[in-house]
Amino acid sequence: MIVVTSVKNGILVTIEDARCSSYRLERKAYNDDRIFVYTENGFCIPDEENPPIGVNGDIIDRNITPHTLYSYRYVDFEKADPDENDYVCSNWVRNGGNEAIGYTFGNYKVAPGTWGTVVTPDDLRFTYLWGTDFKATNGQSYTDEQIQYFIDSAVAEMERRLDITIKKRRIRFNAAERGLVKDFDYDADEAVYDFRYARIARYGLIKTRQRPIIKLHSLKLLSRFSSFTDLTSTTVVDKTKGLLKLMNRPLKPSETSSGIQTAIGMYGKETRGLQLFYAIDYDAGFETSDDVPHDLRQIVAKMAAVSLLNIIGDGLMSGFSSSSLSMDGLSESFSSTQSATSAYFGARIKEYKDDIETYVKQNRYKFTNMPIGCL
């Protein structure tokens, strides 16, 4: 894992990875395609007189340009020819300056090798919560890390409501049993899919548990003896709906392999489906946060804003409804919208909630099929 933090005189880079003793550390600046490597003289283009050096732990990068975004990545120092998938990357970090960074400002893009964020803390501070003070009456301020937590929670909530996957996930079947390493080889371990002969005979498709699909890596039909039939090359993928349409049906009514025949034995072909499974490796979600549709991005931002407004409202004016002051014939009174059952920013919260409910209602089946039942 790599953690980057902007400090007073530079950027603190922390590598927390015990797999190797040393790593090659690289840096890229926003809007600059050049890759700089860490050497004894700091980050630069390495040569024979100034070769890369292995690092592990904490490093302060002082050779930076103020008000610039940087992204860092590392790889095993001993790896001769690493590709992009071998690197562990950080998100963008800004060194100093007060310029807001975000999609609503047109100056944010995903750092290479990372997924990014649907909206940035600055998007919430200065766009969706415009005019709202983020400092409580006791002087405490809301940090970007706290805001990011609500953004991540809003993404998860919207995934649940729309029954979709937003942040990219590498989904592998029985990953732990296959010896794959979580966060490096896969993100989600998924069980195999049950084979239903009647469904294949009638429809010839498989509905994945997560959608939209970015890429189908493999689709195999497994038998009880772990032999398999690879169906990947003859499968058409409906990426938006998460449907795998089989061009060639895996079994015909007259086909019974020796493994299946042994499995069903004397119980007959009705038990065939209990001995067959689909093993699917695929990636779901959006490739990066840059690929998230603008309307979905805005709803996620509003959902995060609602959670923040509930808390910030109490911090600005906790337990306060109205007050009055009179002295020598002069009087002054003040009333807020806050009460025991109404939040300080109740009007904006209601407006955002209505927008969210309307969007969910209108787009619930945009990424999946409408469920239909019969009696």
Side-chain angles (χ1 to χ4, degrees):
M1 182 178 69
I2 183 169
V3 179
V4 291
T5 307
S6 179
V7 294
K8 184 176 181 180
N9 296 318
I11 296 177
L12 175 63
V13 182
T14 302
I15 299 176
E16 298 178 351
D17 198 327
R19 292 177 301 156
C20 301
S21 59
S22 64
Y23 295 93
R24 175 188 173 99
L25 181 62
E26 300 178 357
R27 185 190 75 185
K28 183 182 184 301
Y30 192 81
N31 292 332
D32 187 349
D33 293 332
R34 294 177 298 172
I35 301 294
F36 292 87
V37 182
Y38 187 73
T39 67
E40 291 184 350
N41 296 319
F43 285 94
C44 62
I45 303 296
D47 53 33
E48 293 183 359
E49 297 180 356
N50 199 23
I53 60 174
V55 297
N56 202 344
D58 297 334
I59 291 174
I60 295 183
D61 182 11
R62 303 186 187 277
N63 185 22
I64 54 179
T65 303
H67 317 318
T68 301
L69 288 171
Y70 290 98
S71 175
Y72 297 82
R73 66 181 187 177
Y74 70 87
V75 69
D76 183 0
F77 191 77
E78 302 297 330
K79 197 168 185 65
D81 189 20
D83 57 34
E84 293 295 328
N85 295 326
D86 295 324
Y87 285 91
V88 177
C89 307
S90 77
N91 281 314
W92 295 112
V93 62
R94 180 179 57 201
N95 175 248
N98 297 317
E99 181 185 4
I101 300 295
Y103 285 103
T104 59
F105 303 99
N107 58 4
Y108 178 86
K109 66 178 180 179
V110 175
T114 66
W115 190 83
T117 180
V118 176
V119 292
T120 68
D122 284 348
D123 283 327
L124 286 177
R125 284 181 183 274
F126 304 116
T127 301
Y128 294 96
L129 298 178
W130 182 69
T132 302
D133 190 359
F134 274 63
K135 182 173 289 187
T137 53
N138 63 358
Q140 287 183 318
S141 295
Y142 234 64
T143 66
D144 285 353
E145 289 76 15
Q146 289 174 296
I147 298 174
Q148 188 63 52
Y149 173 82
F150 284 100
I151 293 172
D152 296 338
S153 299
V155 170
E157 175 68 12
M158 188 53 62
E159 288 180 333
R160 184 187 64 81
R161 291 197 183 192
L162 294 177
D163 192 23
I164 63 173
T165 300
I166 297 176
K167 188 172 182 178
K168 179 181 178 180
R169 293 186 179 92
R170 296 166 297 170
I171 303 167
R172 304 293 182 262
F173 78 93
N174 294 348
E177 290 80 356
R178 294 160 61 190
L180 302 180
V181 180
K182 187 174 177 58
D183 296 329
F184 290 97
D185 300 319
Y186 73 98
D187 300 310
D189 190 345
E190 202 173 67
V192 294
Y193 290 68
D194 292 335
F195 174 86
R196 292 288 182 267
Y197 181 79
R199 184 173 182 83
I200 293 301
R202 185 171 183 180
Y203 301 107
L205 59 82
I206 305 167
K207 182 179 179 182
T208 57
R209 299 185 182 106
Q210 300 192 44
R211 68 200 66 82
I213 295 176
I214 299 174
K215 182 179 180 180
L216 174 66
H217 293 280
S218 69
L219 169 58
K220 300 174 182 178
L221 181 67
L222 301 181
S223 74
R224 69 188 294 267
F225 289 116
S226 298
S227 60
F228 65 87
T229 302
D230 195 334
L231 306 172
T232 310
S233 60
T234 58
T235 300
V236 177
V237 182
D238 185 337
K239 295 185 177 181
T240 301
K241 301 291 186 180
L243 298 176
L244 306 180
K245 302 178 181 180
L246 306 179
M247 296 173 61
N248 294 336
R249 305 298 171 91
L251 289 176
K252 297 178 181 179
S254 59
E255 290 180 343
T256 305
S257 65
S258 59
I260 300 173
Q261 182 64 41
T262 302
I264 64 178
M266 54 188 259
Y267 298 103
K269 64 180 180 180
E270 290 78 8
T271 62
R272 178 183 299 175
L274 302 179
Q275 318 301 328
L276 296 172
F277 303 93
Y278 292 111
I280 308 175
D281 284 344
Y282 64 105
D283 297 339
F286 295 94
E287 187 66 42
T288 68
S289 61
D290 289 345
D291 301 311
V292 176
H294 293 306
D295 58 340
L296 180 57
R297 188 190 313 282
Q298 176 164 266
I299 291 302
V300 170
K302 288 182 177 181
M303 184 171 288
V306 168
S307 299
L308 287 168
L309 285 171
N310 281 320
I311 296 174
I312 294 171
D314 281 345
L316 293 175
M317 199 171 291
S318 178
F320 180 86
S321 177
S322 64
S323 68
S324 61
L325 175 67
S326 62
M327 182 176 61
D328 296 335
L330 298 176
S331 63
E332 181 183 35
S333 62
F334 173 81
S335 297
S336 72
T337 60
Q338 185 165 331
S339 67
T341 58
S342 179
Y344 183 48
F345 297 105
R348 190 185 296 194
I349 290 173
K350 182 180 183 305
E351 184 68 25
Y352 280 176
K353 279 188 172 181
D354 289 344
D355 292 345
I356 294 168
E357 293 302 324
T358 300
Y359 181 87
V360 171
K361 183 178 180 180
Q362 294 177 349
N363 294 273
R364 182 184 298 273
Y365 304 119
K366 177 180 178 180
F367 298 95
T368 187
N369 299 302
M370 181 178 296
I372 299 176
C374 61
L375 297 176

